[in-house]
Amino acid sequence: MPDILHEVVIEAEPDKVYAALTEQESLARWWTRQATAEPEVGSVDQFVFNGGRFTIKMEITELEQGKKVAWKVRQGAPHWQGTQVSWQLTPVEHGTSLLFGHLGFASTDGSFPSTSYTWATYITSLKAYLETGKGAPNAG
Protein backbone atom coordinates (compact mmCIF):
# COMPACT_ATOMS: atom_id res chain seq x y z
CA MET A 1 0.00 0.00 0.00
CA PRO A 2 1.42 3.43 -0.93
CA ASP A 3 2.26 6.01 1.70
CA ILE A 4 2.87 9.75 1.66
CA LEU A 5 6.02 10.69 3.58
CA HIS A 6 7.50 14.13 4.24
CA GLU A 7 10.40 15.06 6.48
CA VAL A 8 11.37 18.54 7.61
CA VAL A 9 13.47 20.12 10.35
CA ILE A 10 11.61 22.73 12.38
CA GLU A 11 13.51 25.22 14.52
CA ALA A 12 11.40 24.53 17.62
CA GLU A 13 11.68 22.10 20.51
CA PRO A 14 9.76 18.79 20.19
CA ASP A 15 7.28 19.79 22.94
CA LYS A 16 6.31 22.92 20.97
CA VAL A 17 5.84 20.91 17.78
CA TYR A 18 3.78 18.38 19.72
CA ALA A 19 1.56 21.17 21.10
CA ALA A 20 1.03 22.53 17.57
CA LEU A 21 -0.21 19.08 16.50
CA THR A 22 -2.52 18.47 19.45
CA GLU A 23 -3.93 21.75 20.79
CA GLN A 24 -7.02 23.21 19.13
CA GLU A 25 -5.80 26.81 19.14
CA SER A 26 -2.46 25.85 17.59
CA LEU A 27 -4.02 23.58 14.93
CA ALA A 28 -6.20 26.55 13.92
CA ARG A 29 -3.09 28.70 13.40
CA TRP A 30 -1.46 26.48 10.77
CA TRP A 31 -3.99 23.93 9.36
CA THR A 32 -7.56 25.21 9.35
CA ARG A 33 -9.17 27.95 11.39
CA GLN A 34 -12.18 25.72 11.97
CA ALA A 35 -10.58 23.06 14.16
CA THR A 36 -12.18 21.24 17.06
CA ALA A 37 -9.61 19.18 18.90
CA GLU A 38 -9.04 17.53 22.25
CA PRO A 39 -5.59 16.02 22.94
CA GLU A 40 -6.81 12.68 24.27
CA VAL A 41 -6.44 9.18 22.82
CA GLY A 42 -9.84 8.05 21.52
CA SER A 43 -11.20 11.53 20.88
CA VAL A 44 -12.28 12.43 17.34
CA ASP A 45 -11.02 15.81 16.17
CA GLN A 46 -12.81 17.70 13.40
CA PHE A 47 -11.29 20.00 10.78
CA VAL A 48 -13.47 22.01 8.38
CA PHE A 49 -12.16 23.39 5.06
CA ASN A 50 -13.30 25.53 2.13
CA GLY A 51 -16.27 27.28 3.66
CA GLY A 52 -17.65 24.11 5.23
CA ARG A 53 -17.61 22.11 1.98
CA PHE A 54 -15.05 19.58 3.25
CA THR A 55 -14.72 18.08 6.73
CA ILE A 56 -12.03 15.76 8.02
CA LYS A 57 -12.50 13.75 11.21
CA MET A 58 -9.46 12.13 12.80
CA GLU A 59 -9.51 9.76 15.75
CA ILE A 60 -6.46 10.18 17.97
CA THR A 61 -4.89 6.73 18.27
CA GLU A 62 -1.57 7.57 19.88
CA LEU A 63 -0.06 10.44 21.85
CA GLU A 64 3.47 10.40 23.18
CA GLN A 65 4.46 13.80 24.58
CA GLY A 66 7.14 15.42 22.44
CA LYS A 67 7.60 12.26 20.34
CA LYS A 68 4.56 11.10 18.39
CA VAL A 69 0.99 11.88 17.37
CA ALA A 70 -1.10 9.39 15.37
CA TRP A 71 -4.57 9.67 13.88
CA LYS A 72 -6.93 7.30 12.10
CA VAL A 73 -9.06 8.86 9.38
CA ARG A 74 -12.75 8.59 10.33
CA GLN A 75 -14.03 10.98 7.63
CA GLY A 76 -12.27 12.64 4.72
CA ALA A 77 -11.86 12.30 1.00
CA PRO A 78 -13.11 8.93 -0.31
CA HIS A 79 -9.57 7.72 -1.12
CA TRP A 80 -8.57 8.38 2.52
CA GLN A 81 -10.77 5.51 3.73
CA GLY A 82 -8.73 3.23 5.99
CA THR A 83 -5.67 5.49 6.09
CA GLN A 84 -3.72 6.74 9.09
CA VAL A 85 -1.65 9.85 9.78
CA SER A 86 1.54 9.79 11.83
CA TRP A 87 3.72 12.62 13.11
CA GLN A 88 7.05 11.44 14.56
CA LEU A 89 9.23 13.98 16.35
CA THR A 90 12.95 13.60 16.96
CA PRO A 91 15.11 16.22 18.67
CA VAL A 92 17.98 17.50 16.53
CA GLU A 93 20.66 20.14 17.05
CA HIS A 94 18.55 23.07 15.86
CA GLY A 95 15.06 21.91 16.83
CA THR A 96 12.95 18.96 15.75
CA SER A 97 13.01 16.57 12.84
CA LEU A 98 9.40 15.93 11.86
CA LEU A 99 8.64 12.76 9.91
CA PHE A 100 5.09 12.95 8.60
CA GLY A 101 3.28 9.97 7.12
CA HIS A 102 -0.18 9.57 5.63
CA LEU A 103 -0.22 5.80 5.42
CA GLY A 104 -2.15 2.99 3.80
CA PHE A 105 -3.59 4.32 0.56
CA ALA A 106 -5.14 1.74 -1.74
CA SER A 107 -3.27 3.11 -4.78
CA THR A 108 -1.48 6.12 -6.22
CA ASP A 109 -4.30 6.69 -8.71
CA GLY A 110 -6.60 9.71 -8.63
CA SER A 111 -5.83 12.44 -6.14
CA PHE A 112 -2.90 10.76 -4.35
CA PRO A 113 -0.35 13.24 -5.83
CA SER A 114 -2.47 16.29 -4.96
CA THR A 115 -2.99 14.94 -1.43
CA SER A 116 0.78 14.69 -1.02
CA TYR A 117 1.24 18.23 -2.34
CA THR A 118 -1.47 19.60 -0.04
CA TRP A 119 0.11 17.95 3.01
CA ALA A 120 3.47 19.47 2.04
CA THR A 121 1.82 22.89 1.88
CA TYR A 122 0.34 22.50 5.36
CA ILE A 123 3.59 21.13 6.80
CA THR A 124 5.26 24.27 5.43
CA SER A 125 2.55 26.28 7.21
CA LEU A 126 3.26 24.36 10.45
CA LYS A 127 6.98 25.12 10.13
CA ALA A 128 6.29 28.82 9.50
CA TYR A 129 3.89 28.99 12.46
CA LEU A 130 6.43 27.47 14.83
CA GLU A 131 9.39 29.49 13.55
CA THR A 132 7.76 32.87 12.90
CA GLY A 133 4.43 32.77 14.74
CA LYS A 134 2.47 33.02 11.49
CA GLY A 135 1.11 29.99 9.64
CA ALA A 136 -1.13 29.90 6.56
CA PRO A 137 -4.23 27.98 7.67
CA ASN A 138 -7.28 27.33 5.53
CA ALA A 139 -10.03 29.81 6.39
CA GLY A 140 -12.37 26.90 7.10
Side-chain angles (χ1 to χ4, degrees):
M1 297 186 104
D3 298 331
I4 294 170
L5 298 172
H6 295 288
E7 187 171 17
V8 65
V9 173
I10 299 173
E11 292 181 18
E13 295 300 315
D15 284 342
K16 289 187 179 188
V17 179
Y18 179 87
L21 298 171
T22 58
E23 296 175 1
Q24 180 173 309
E25 183 179 321
S26 294
L27 286 158
R29 304 233 6 234
W30 68 267
W31 195 16
T32 181
R33 291 191 179 123
Q34 289 193 37
T36 305
E38 183 180 345
E40 184 177 311
V41 172
S43 69
V44 177
D45 296 350
Q46 180 171 293
F47 308 97
V48 179
F49 295 83
N50 303 328
R53 291 188 299 270
F54 183 66
T55 299
I56 298 170
K57 292 184 180 180
M58 301 282 196
E59 178 184 348
I60 298 175
T61 58
E62 189 174 347
L63 292 174
E64 191 174 344
Q65 178 68 41
K67 294 182 180 181
K68 186 174 184 180
V69 175
W71 301 329
K72 183 172 185 170
V73 176
R74 291 294 181 203
Q75 178 182 325
H79 67 285
W80 288 24
Q81 185 68 30
T83 62
Q84 298 182 29
V85 175
S86 174
W87 309 85
Q88 295 182 40
L89 314 175
T90 304
V92 294
E93 186 175 341
H94 298 288
T96 303
S97 174
L98 168 68
L99 177 59
F100 166 86
H102 192 160
L103 314 169
F105 284 87
S107 76
T108 58
D109 294 339
S111 59
F112 181 87
S114 65
T115 298
S116 180
Y117 177 83
T118 301
W119 274 121
T121 301
Y122 284 119
I123 291 167
T124 301
S125 175
L126 170 65
K127 179 177 171 66
Y129 166 64
L130 287 164
E131 293 180 352
T132 70
K134 182 159 176 60
N138 185 279

